């Protein structure tokens, strides 16, 4: 069956019909977090996008092999670990753990393979050696650099061909980058005393990798020389993804990635949310303000992944209200064990149009408002395999320990047929603001 799924490919600036290299299997790589701080909610938007993409592919029947890296060595992680008086490993593992707690709470499924940069150094050295042998890389006193002039078509992804190369800064040594100028970039950085204990003794010298080579090595290690899909935030197009293409294609002589997909920014009133502008919000910040992670996931679904998402607490509050209404309606649905083909087709059609989640949500709402529709429950179950909003899951309410104790005392009283005590205990539970109903599976406690 020919695929009808269309995805916007940054490489061609067009929506293209998606055709994987291997029939019904998709290889997908996503740039992961640099674990030196919390991921802010703008970063998390990109990981929600990755998750929606993967689940949409699975909805279309594809098997997806998803790889993501953890950048646990670069300038930022080294400097931050030293400031905190911790080893690089101790320091980065802490933030790695927090990252996955955040993504779990957003119902983001973990990638199939998660690779740490520090555990893939040999794979990077292998590629750098090939690049040196082929004449794409050269050695200086401080490191090994990629020569962008040697690689024909450098900057194609970013459409930078026509921009002038900066003559004054011909090399960039650090992991920060210039958004405008094309420069030779470090593949390997020779050891300096500032690196402390963070170095590897390798065939190409004592030192550590540059940032870009990490992703080329880790993606190809698991997925082979050619990938179907590579994702990231839009600000990674240049230079990070541009450099990944140059390194990988120069080394293998093959086209590295067929479809490049990029998620848009999260904007606030003042513009882009970024650490450098000091206007970032973390997931924990919005949780303290009374929002759930899934309120935020719902909000992300209301804007197309390539558009900038306007974030404000008012917008988040509106999303929270819609999401709660949606969930309440879904909770009342009865399962008639059928699906509604017409609505599922509509849903599939909008997903096929470059993952149009705002329209997919509209289809969901239409279905819920259609009083004559059959198969609503099972249809929503299928839709929620993509949305991942827990629409049919019973809410997990927090029951205080003292109420739990009263409930079990009441069960004991009922078992010994002490109805008077059982009733008294029920009153006590009600007074605490909870109601109890007795079912075949035992007592169920709800907020009153
Ligand atoms: Zn990357």
């Amino acid at each position: 069956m020919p695929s009808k799924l269309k995805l916007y490919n940054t490489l061609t600036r067009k929506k293209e019909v998606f055709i994987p290299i291997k029939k019904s299997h998709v290889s997908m790589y996503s740039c992961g977090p640099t674990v030196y701080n919390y991921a802010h909610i703008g970063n998390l938007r990109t990981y929600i996008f990755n998750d929606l993409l993967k689940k949409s592919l699975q909805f279309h029947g594809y098997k997806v092999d998803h790889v993501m890296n953890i950048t646990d060595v670069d300038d930022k992680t080294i400097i931050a670990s030293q400031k905190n008086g911790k080893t690089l490993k101790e320091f980065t593992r802490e933030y790695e753990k927090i990252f996955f707690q955040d993504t779990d709470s957003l119902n983001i499924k973990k990638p199939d393979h998660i690779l740490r940069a520090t555990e893939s150094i040999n794979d990077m050295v292998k590629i750098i050696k090939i690049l040196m042998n082929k004449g794409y890389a050269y050695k200086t006193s401080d490191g090994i650099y990629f020569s962008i002039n040697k690689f024909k078509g450098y900057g194609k992804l970013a459409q930078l061909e026509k921009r002038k190369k900066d003559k004054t800064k011909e090399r960039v040594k650090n992991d920060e980058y210039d958004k405008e100028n094309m420069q030779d970039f470090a593949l390997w950085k020779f050891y300096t005393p500032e690196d402390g204990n963070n170095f590897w003794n390798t065939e190409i010298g004592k030192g550590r990798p540059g940032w870009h080579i990490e992703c080329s090595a880790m993606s190809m290690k698991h997925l082979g020389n050619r990938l179907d899909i590579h994702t990231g935030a839009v600000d990674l197009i240049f230079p990070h993804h541009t450099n990944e293409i140059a390194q990988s294609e120069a080394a293998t002589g093959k086209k590295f990635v067929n479809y490049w997909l990029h998620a848009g920014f999260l904007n606030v009133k003042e513009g882009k949310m970024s650490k450098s502008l000091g206007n970032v919000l973390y997931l924990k910040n919005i949780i303290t303000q009374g929002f759930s992670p899934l309120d935020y996931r719902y909000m992300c679904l209301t804007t197309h992944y390539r558009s900038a998402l306007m974030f404000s607490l008012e917008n988040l509050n509106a999303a929270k209200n819609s999401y709660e209404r949606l969930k309440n309606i879904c909770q009342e649905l009865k399962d008639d064990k059928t699906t509604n083909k017409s609505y599922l087709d509509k849903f599939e059609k909008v997903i096929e149009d470059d993952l149009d989640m705002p329209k997919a949500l509209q289809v969901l709402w239409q279905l819920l408002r259609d009083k004559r529709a059959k198969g609503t429950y099972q249809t929503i179950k299928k839709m929620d395999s993509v949305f991942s909003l827990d629409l049919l899951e019973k809410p997990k309410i927090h029951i205080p320990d003292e109420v739990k104790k009263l409930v079990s005392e009441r069960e004991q009283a009922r078992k010994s047929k002490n109805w008077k005590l059982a009733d008294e205990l029920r009153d006590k539970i009600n007074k605490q603001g909870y109601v109890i109903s007795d079912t075949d599976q035992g007592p169920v406690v709800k907020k009153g």
Side-chain angles (χ1 to χ4, degrees):
M1 191 189 78
S3 170
K4 282 178 280 175
L5 177 64
K6 281 186 171 176
L7 299 171
Y8 183 88
N9 189 352
T10 307
L11 204 55
T12 56
R13 304 293 194 275
K14 275 187 199 121
K15 278 186 205 171
E16 293 177 5
V17 175
F18 176 68
I19 304 164
I21 298 164
K22 277 190 227 157
K23 203 181 153 214
S24 72
H25 277 74
V26 180
S27 55
M28 172 172 159
Y29 182 83
S30 302
C31 286
T34 303
V35 280
Y36 72 109
N37 201 336
Y38 297 92
H40 65 65
I41 58 168
N43 301 138
L44 292 171
R45 183 192 183 198
T46 305
Y47 298 102
I48 292 174
F49 155 66
N50 293 337
D51 190 60
L52 291 169
L53 169 61
K54 181 162 72 180
K55 287 171 179 167
S56 299
L57 288 161
Q58 287 166 338
F59 181 84
H60 278 81
Y62 291 110
K63 279 217 168 72
V64 183
D65 196 3
H66 185 204
V67 176
M68 187 184 78
N69 71 296
I70 300 284
T71 297
D72 60 350
V73 57
D74 76 331
D75 296 349
K76 288 176 189 158
T77 46
I78 290 177
I79 293 166
S81 67
Q82 289 169 341
K83 262 191 196 157
N84 284 275
K86 290 187 176 157
T87 66
L88 186 64
K89 189 172 170 179
E90 276 170 354
F91 181 76
T92 54
R93 291 295 166 89
E94 242 171 71
Y95 282 106
E96 185 186 308
K97 201 175 143 207
I98 295 168
F99 174 79
F100 285 114
Q101 283 166 354
D102 282 354
T103 52
D104 279 353
S105 71
L106 288 161
N107 278 355
I108 294 172
K109 198 169 178 293
K110 264 203 176 122
D112 305 289
H113 303 281
I114 295 156
L115 304 181
R116 295 189 185 103
T118 53
E119 292 166 354
S120 312
I121 301 291
N122 286 340
D123 306 279
M124 299 176 206
V125 170
K126 232 188 271 171
I127 299 175
I128 297 170
K129 277 174 64 187
I130 295 171
L131 292 174
M132 290 177 84
N133 288 338
K134 287 189 166 183
Y136 288 104
Y138 61 92
K139 214 172 182 170
T140 69
S141 60
D142 60 14
I144 299 169
Y145 288 82
F146 187 92
S147 172
I148 60 167
N149 282 327
K150 292 269 165 65
F151 182 69
K152 223 180 125 229
Y154 180 84
K156 190 172 166 239
L157 179 74
Q159 297 191 333
L160 288 179
E161 299 91 334
K162 291 179 188 73
R163 289 201 209 179
K164 273 187 201 147
K165 284 171 197 168
D166 188 338
K167 298 281 182 234
T168 53
K169 288 179 284 176
E170 54 185 17
R171 273 197 292 279
V172 55
K173 290 179 186 175
N174 56 33
D175 290 328
E176 292 304 321
Y177 48 82
D178 189 328
K179 292 246 163 245
E180 295 303 317
N181 299 304
M182 301 196 274
Q183 297 158 50
D184 288 359
F185 56 92
L187 297 163
W188 188 257
K189 299 167 182 196
F190 292 140
Y191 181 76
T192 64
E194 291 91 73
D195 290 339
N197 291 323
N198 305 306
F199 62 85
W200 285 264
N201 275 312
T202 72
E203 287 170 68
I204 53 171
K206 176 179 172 178
R208 60 183 172 98
W211 172 39
H212 310 300
I213 192 70
E214 296 184 2
C215 283
S216 282
M218 287 185 270
S219 57
M220 295 198 291
K221 181 181 186 176
H222 252 285
L223 299 170
N225 293 344
R226 293 169 66 216
L227 279 58
D228 289 308
I229 298 176
H230 193 312
T231 72
V234 70
D235 59 340
L236 293 185
I237 295 173
F238 183 79
H240 184 52
H241 291 162
T242 297
N243 292 349
E244 273 189 52
I245 292 174
Q247 296 160 156
S248 304
E249 296 190 357
T252 67
K254 294 194 175 96
K255 186 179 180 186
F256 176 42
V257 172
N258 285 338
Y259 301 86
W260 284 92
L261 270 65
H262 291 98
F265 284 132
L266 181 112
N267 286 345
V268 283
K269 240 185 5 239
E270 312 89 71
K272 188 193 153 196
M273 181 175 281
S274 81
K275 281 186 187 118
S276 52
L277 295 174
N279 60 2
V280 300
L281 273 177
Y282 302 113
L283 199 60
K284 59 177 183 170
N285 299 134
I286 61 172
I287 291 170
T288 21
Q289 303 206 42
F291 298 99
S292 77
L294 293 187
D295 293 336
Y296 180 61
R297 186 173 174 112
Y298 184 90
M299 184 188 190
C300 289
L301 286 163
T302 60
T303 300
H304 189 269
Y305 78 87
R306 281 193 288 122
S307 308
L309 173 68
M310 237 349 253
F311 181 87
S312 65
L313 288 177
E314 292 78 49
N315 290 352
L316 182 58
N317 203 37
K320 180 190 174 72
N321 289 337
S322 304
Y323 175 50
E324 276 174 4
R325 246 187 315 137
L326 178 61
K327 241 198 119 153
N328 286 339
I329 300 170
C330 290
Q331 293 292 311
E332 300 299 318
L333 294 172
K334 298 275 175 296
D335 184 4
D336 64 5
K337 313 279 180 199
T338 60
T339 49
N340 190 306
K341 194 180 176 301
S342 143
Y343 279 97
L344 262 187
D345 286 349
K346 276 190 204 173
F347 176 77
E348 198 172 330
K349 223 176 173 173
V350 294
I351 295 284
E352 279 167 354
D353 183 16
D354 194 29
L355 319 178
D356 197 337
M357 294 300 158
K359 284 211 182 118
L361 278 183
Q362 283 173 22
V363 174
L364 170 67
W365 277 107
Q366 275 167 19
L367 169 61
L368 288 171
R369 288 186 184 121
D370 184 347
K371 298 288 173 228
R372 281 178 301 178
K374 296 252 181 333
T376 305
Y377 183 97
Q378 286 295 332
T379 306
I380 283 178
K381 197 172 174 185
K382 287 216 155 113
M383 291 177 179
D384 206 29
S385 71
V386 177
F387 293 139
S388 300
L389 291 168
D390 290 349
L391 293 174
L392 298 166
E393 253 166 59
K394 298 289 169 220
K396 292 177 204 102
I397 54 159
H398 173 73
I399 298 163
D401 287 343
E402 52 193 296
V403 175
K404 279 186 199 157
K405 198 168 155 255
L406 292 171
V407 172
S408 79
E409 280 171 20
R410 180 172 168 272
E411 271 308 282
Q412 284 305 317
R414 276 162 54 85
K415 266 182 197 151
S416 48
K417 302 200 191 308
N418 187 346
W419 306 116
K420 191 169 166 277
L421 179 62
D423 284 347
E424 279 168 23
L425 287 163
R426 176 196 284 270
D427 288 344
K428 276 192 183 167
I429 292 165
N430 291 348
K431 274 194 189 128
Q432 299 269 354
Y434 292 84
V435 288
I436 194 162
S437 45
D438 298 304
T439 71
D440 296 343
Q441 282 85 37
V444 175
V445 188
K446 280 186 195 156
K447 255 205 155 99

